Amino acid sequence: MSFDPKPVLDHVDAAFDASVERVCELLRIPSISTNPQYADETRRCAEWLAEQLRGMGFEADARQTAGHPMVVAHDHSAGGGAPRILYYGHYDVQPPDPLELWETGPFEPTIVDGPHGKRVVARGAVDDKGQLMTFIEAIRAWKAVHGELPVNVSIILEGEEESGSPSLDPFLEQHRDELAADVCIVCDTGMWDIQTPAITTMLRGLVYTDITLHGPSHDLHSGAYGGAIVNPINALARIIGELHDATGRVRIPGFYDDVMEVTGEQREQWRSLGFDEQQFLQSAGLTSPHGEHGYSTLERIWARPTCDVNGIWGGYIDEGAKTVIASRASAKVSCRLVADQNPQAVYDGLVRFLHDRTPPGFKWEIHPHGMSPAIRVPTDSPYLEAARQGLGAVFDRDPVLVGTGGSIPVVGSIKRILGFDSLLVGFGLDDDRMHSPNEKFELRCLHNGIRSHAAILAQLAAMPTGGSSSSR
Ligand code: BES
Ligand code: ZN
């Protein structure tokens, strides 16, 4: 069956203010998954979403897990012959810290003017509440116009994406049949620029660890002991400094063993995108790029593995001075992985790297925080073609195929546990300040995102039946 998306797109336009209202309501709930103090708010957020979906005629609820709830919704009224689409988004957000750098409250969504028109500023605006609302609002508009959806829709909204997704895999294992589908549409990535939509086909993986270097049995007077024993903070800083060589390569043993070099063809395709490096640097408030020698900025983000320190602490950090040598020093160290690196091997390599440098009499305490491999999704699937057509119709230009430096663990889990591929269509911009103070989402991106999902639905409706190809 083929559908003219126009009536739905018109409805999306007419109802846009109400969509923005609902996005703001969602943004007011501080669903910070990593902080147990916000567990009740996180649950309230899940309930709010389930209630919205029930109001749209879905069978929906917030399901208990060992951690935060998983929102699951179904509307399978399209029936047997129609494709089955599973939509994914996450309703949890990163902590808003540092609070003093926000111009308005992180959970008081504020609409402000910017160079692209109005934008909404709040924690989660782009990552991922504004984005998950693009498909929800598109589905809402479709139902308002046609009464029924043209495809079978299931939705899962995760509440732990920003904190390592500990409950995700067990949940997928337990609900394998219920969540069976032909493809998963993930809305948690970015556009090429505000005029050019993108489909993401490569994600990096992640290995994240907490490390502590324990030295003296207790904190020491820095005059009585300083210079005569190893200072754990100095030692940790030196060891961290050794993680990269002078050409920017990571010195963890075996780190590059399984890394696939960028092919000449890939290089060419990326070069043809016309990446604006100055604008990219400007979005970070910087002027010069940095990284592994011999690679462009896009290659460094999309196709090269990294090792970065995400936090470091130890010793006296309050007001004033305290002449002390701390008994230990800690850091959070993470590696972004590319295909075909093995997360466990990288973790083992990092542990070895640290152990090889342990000062005499010192010891390491190392805790892994979850590991996920890099992902590639097929570029020749009929679902990708449907997305390409839908996006092309809304933006009047073809979407580009891109990689991303970020990680979305669900894509690998769905492939491994449920057995089908994902399609990553998102509407964020480089300067949206994801995970940072004053995170924002352009209302133009929100609007085009809703329109795009409506247009993609029309394309999916016209596809030959998906059948049961995904059941295992
Ligand atoms: N939405 C991001 C992933 C992303 C980042 C997409 C950059 C496009 C560009 C996602 O919510 C995220 O931040 N994921 C975490 C995953 C981690 C906690 C396992 C990440 O990449 O750090
Ligand atoms: Zn996200």
Side-chain angles (χ1 to χ4, degrees):
M1 217 192 301
S2 104
F3 276 96
D4 173 11
K6 179 132 192 335
V8 180
L9 296 182
D10 288 345
H11 184 92
V12 167
D13 298 348
F16 185 62
D17 288 350
S19 297
V20 173
E21 258 319 299
R22 281 186 288 269
V23 168
C24 288
E25 214 177 314
L26 177 58
L27 288 169
R28 280 188 201 103
I29 311 176
S31 47
I32 307 165
S33 58
T34 199
N35 186 341
Q37 282 180 356
Y38 289 86
D40 288 349
E41 293 289 1
T42 305
R43 161 157 292 282
R44 184 161 74 85
C45 191
E47 299 288 357
W48 185 90
L49 284 161
E51 183 57 40
Q52 290 290 316
L53 291 164
R54 281 194 293 270
M56 289 162 53
F58 276 80
E59 195 188 302
D61 47 15
R63 311 267 181 94
Q64 188 103 34
T65 70
H68 299 297
M70 184 77 80
V71 179
V72 182
H74 302 289
D75 180 337
H76 290 183
S77 43
R84 300 166 305 170
I85 313 297
L86 175 66
Y87 286 89
Y88 169 90
H90 63 90
Y91 67 85
D92 65 322
V93 299
Q94 289 270 327
D97 310 77
L99 275 178
E100 65 279 13
L101 296 185
W102 285 80
E103 279 159 28
T104 50
F107 299 105
E108 291 158 24
T110 312
I111 311 281
V112 302
D113 286 310
H116 303 302
K118 299 209 177 298
R119 46 172 66 163
V120 56
V121 180
R123 170 57 84 233
V126 63
D127 190 11
D128 182 40
K129 289 173 169 174
Q131 296 229 53
L132 70 84
M133 288 297 272
T134 58
F135 60 76
I136 292 183
E137 293 298 301
I139 290 168
R140 186 194 299 277
W142 190 288
K143 288 192 149 216
V145 171
H146 294 294
E148 283 189 350
L149 291 172
V151 296
N152 296 301
V153 170
S154 295
I155 298 176
I156 49 171
L157 305 173
E158 190 191 352
E160 300 182 332
E161 197 272 351
E162 300 288 11
S163 50
S165 299
S167 310
L168 180 68
D169 286 8
F171 191 88
L172 296 182
E173 308 265 6
Q174 280 161 22
H175 300 86
R176 207 176 285 189
D177 293 338
E178 183 184 343
L179 298 172
D182 300 310
V183 70
C184 179
I185 298 185
V186 174
C187 192
D188 193 22
T189 51
M191 300 177 54
W192 177 250
D193 59 34
I194 191 148
Q195 293 152 48
T196 318
I199 299 173
T200 298
T201 62
M202 296 168 64
L203 290 156
R204 285 198 291 192
L206 187 66
V207 165
Y208 199 114
T209 58
D210 267 358
I211 64 173
T212 297
L213 181 60
H214 293 271
S217 57
H218 53 279
D219 287 3
L220 304 172
H221 189 291
S222 68
Y225 291 90
I229 49 109
V230 176
N231 175 331
I233 300 179
N234 294 6
L236 182 66
R238 182 179 47 74
I239 293 166
I240 284 172
E242 288 177 15
L243 278 167
H244 298 89
D245 72 12
T247 69
R249 275 176 79 87
V250 176
R251 297 178 61 212
I252 293 172
F255 194 70
Y256 293 95
D257 283 1
D258 301 318
V259 173
M260 291 205 302
E261 275 300 322
V262 187
T263 62
E265 194 189 345
Q266 184 82 92
R267 260 206 174 143
E268 227 6 82
Q269 193 229 323
W270 289 349
R271 216 196 312 270
S272 75
L273 292 171
F275 178 64
D276 185 341
E277 187 166 84
Q278 279 316 310
Q279 196 186 320
F280 167 80
L281 290 169
Q282 209 178 6
S283 76
L286 294 171
T287 48
S288 61
H290 170 84
E292 195 183 349
H293 291 195
Y295 297 91
S296 70
T297 293
L298 268 195
E299 287 163 6
R300 285 171 180 163
I301 302 170
W302 292 354
R304 300 301 297 169
T306 65
C307 182
D308 273 299
V309 180
N310 303 110
I312 182 161
W313 67 100
Y316 183 70
I317 54 167
D318 279 341
E319 287 287 309
K322 180 180 181 195
T323 47
V324 70
I325 291 177
S327 64
R328 60 185 177 186
S330 301
K332 292 184 186 276
V333 179
S334 67
C335 297
R336 293 280 172 181
L337 311 186
V338 299
D340 293 307
Q341 280 179 299
N342 175 336
Q344 184 67 47
V346 168
Y347 175 77
D348 293 344
L350 175 61
V351 170
R352 218 176 95 208
F353 175 91
L354 297 173
H355 280 139
D356 285 349
R357 290 164 177 77
T358 318
F362 278 46
K363 64 177 195 301
W364 289 102
E365 186 186 335
I366 303 173
H367 295 290
H369 265 295
M371 305 181 196
S372 60
I375 304 281
R376 282 166 193 268
V377 301
T379 51
D380 57 355
S381 90
Y383 303 105
L384 188 134
E385 195 45 41
R388 202 195 284 267
Q389 299 290 335
L391 289 165
V394 167
F395 286 89
D396 275 333
R397 56 168 87 183
D398 281 341
V400 292
L401 300 188
V402 300
T404 176
S407 311
I408 306 178
V410 73
V411 177
S413 298
I414 285 185
K415 179 72 183 173
R416 190 167 48 77
I417 300 167
L418 302 181
F420 48 92
D421 285 307
S422 293
L423 176 63
L424 295 118
V425 179
F427 303 94
L429 300 178
D430 275 347
D431 69 353
D432 280 343
R433 296 177 180 254
M434 260 195 288
H435 297 197
S436 164
N438 306 307
E439 177 180 350
K440 56 95 174 162
F441 193 29
E442 301 290 342
L443 293 192
R444 183 165 152 198
C445 293
L446 173 66
H447 193 162
N448 280 330
I450 302 173
R451 288 176 62 94
S452 296
H453 278 297
I456 293 171
L457 263 178
Q459 292 294 328
L460 293 169
M463 278 181 61
T465 156
S468 56
S469 56
S470 72
S471 47
R472 321 184 336 141

